[in-house]
Amino acid sequence: MNIILFGPPGAGKGTQAKYIKKKVNGFQISTGDLLRDEIKRDTEIGKKIVNDMNDGKFVSDEIVNKLIRNIVSDPQKKGKLIFDGYPRSLSQAKNLDLLLINSNQKIDYIFFLNVKKDVIINRIKKRKIEEDRSDDDLDIILKRFDTYMKTTKPVLDFYSKNPNFNEIDGALEIDQITAKIDTFLQV
Ligand code: AMP
């Protein structure tokens, strides 16, 4: 079962992805985590992206697409992909479609966690204290939300036509969102 979790930064995609990963014995693919790991290991990619990431800007499609290419084509992960934070642009969504077709796979569920800006701001402020992420300062949060609105709206239009698209109110409590997701996942 391949699943996409989609929504603004702070919508709870990571939390739900971890839950789904356990439930379906899948692989969580968080491009945010993959990119932070590149920075931590000080790789060539890490050096290129550190400023943009700390600034709340999107990393280039080229870099992100390259990071997920091998993961999608990995036979061990086939049919067990849980995307958290990818795709985030139309070009990424189209790239993912192609990668899936080429490896004879499809998306089974798209969960759109829809949350308004003020709820997000409060949540990310809390996460800043709990996780001490350097991209979680208020002005960066606002930038990340604006980038999301600008770049990600076309992805929403792209996926909302898909019969597997499901919108969930992301302002609900974590357990309530999980319960809604559970109603779709028949394992
Ligand atoms: P996240 O952990 O998903 O909130 O992502 C943190 C940051 O990583 C974002 O603000 C972007 O700078 C970068 N990032 C993560 N995923 C992507 C993506 N799919 N495309 C571009 N940049 C990304």
Side-chain angles (χ1 to χ4, degrees):
M1 197 179 284
N2 292 325
I3 296 166
I4 293 176
L5 285 155
F6 180 74
K13 299 184 294 290
T15 306
Q16 299 302 332
K18 283 186 181 67
Y19 169 78
I20 298 171
K21 173 187 156 177
K22 269 201 200 134
K23 178 166 174 130
V24 305
N25 195 20
F27 295 89
Q28 180 183 0
I29 300 148
S30 157
T31 38
D33 283 350
L34 291 172
L35 294 166
R36 278 186 287 277
D37 187 55
E38 294 286 335
I39 294 176
K40 207 166 133 197
R41 291 188 290 116
D42 200 24
T43 62
E44 281 308 305
I45 290 180
K47 286 186 185 110
K48 268 191 208 159
I49 64 175
V50 64
N51 290 336
D52 278 349
M53 282 226 10
N54 286 339
D55 253 10
K57 290 184 194 149
F58 273 15
V59 170
S60 76
D61 287 337
E62 194 193 347
I63 290 179
V64 182
N65 286 341
K66 199 168 153 195
L67 281 180
I68 71 134
R69 194 186 305 143
N70 292 339
I71 298 175
V72 175
S73 60
D74 181 346
Q76 283 194 323
K77 298 192 171 79
K78 191 172 175 176
K80 295 178 172 187
L81 306 167
I82 302 152
F83 294 98
D84 156 19
Y86 183 94
R88 259 166 147 121
S89 69
L90 197 53
S91 144
Q92 292 179 13
K94 290 183 172 167
N95 177 68
L96 179 60
D97 260 14
L98 263 182
L99 290 176
L100 289 169
I101 289 168
N102 288 343
S103 56
N104 213 3
Q105 301 187 69
K106 63 179 174 59
I107 290 297
D108 297 284
Y109 291 104
I110 300 157
F111 295 120
F112 170 42
L113 306 185
N114 194 3
V115 200
K116 295 212 171 64
K117 195 172 182 173
D118 52 341
V119 176
I120 300 284
I121 290 171
N122 287 333
R123 270 194 198 160
I124 301 191
K125 272 185 187 165
K126 207 170 143 223
R127 186 169 72 187
K128 163 83 181 153
I129 298 164
E130 286 165 3
E131 296 180 18
D132 195 26
R133 275 176 52 163
S134 57
D135 60 349
D136 274 353
D137 289 324
L138 188 58
D139 54 336
I140 307 281
I141 295 168
L142 296 174
K143 246 193 225 170
R144 290 175 70 208
F145 193 85
D146 291 343
T147 313
Y148 165 81
M149 288 305 278
K150 247 188 265 155
T151 323
T152 316
K153 176 76 170 59
V155 185
L156 192 56
D157 296 340
F158 182 76
Y159 281 135
S160 56
K161 297 185 196 100
N162 189 308
N164 300 329
F165 177 86
N166 299 285
E167 179 168 342
I168 296 174
D169 179 3
L172 294 171
E173 293 298 320
I174 290 173
D175 290 353
Q176 292 173 306
I177 297 176
T178 305
K180 291 218 180 251
I181 290 176
D182 261 341
T183 61
F184 293 101
L185 302 181
Q186 316 288 344
V187 187

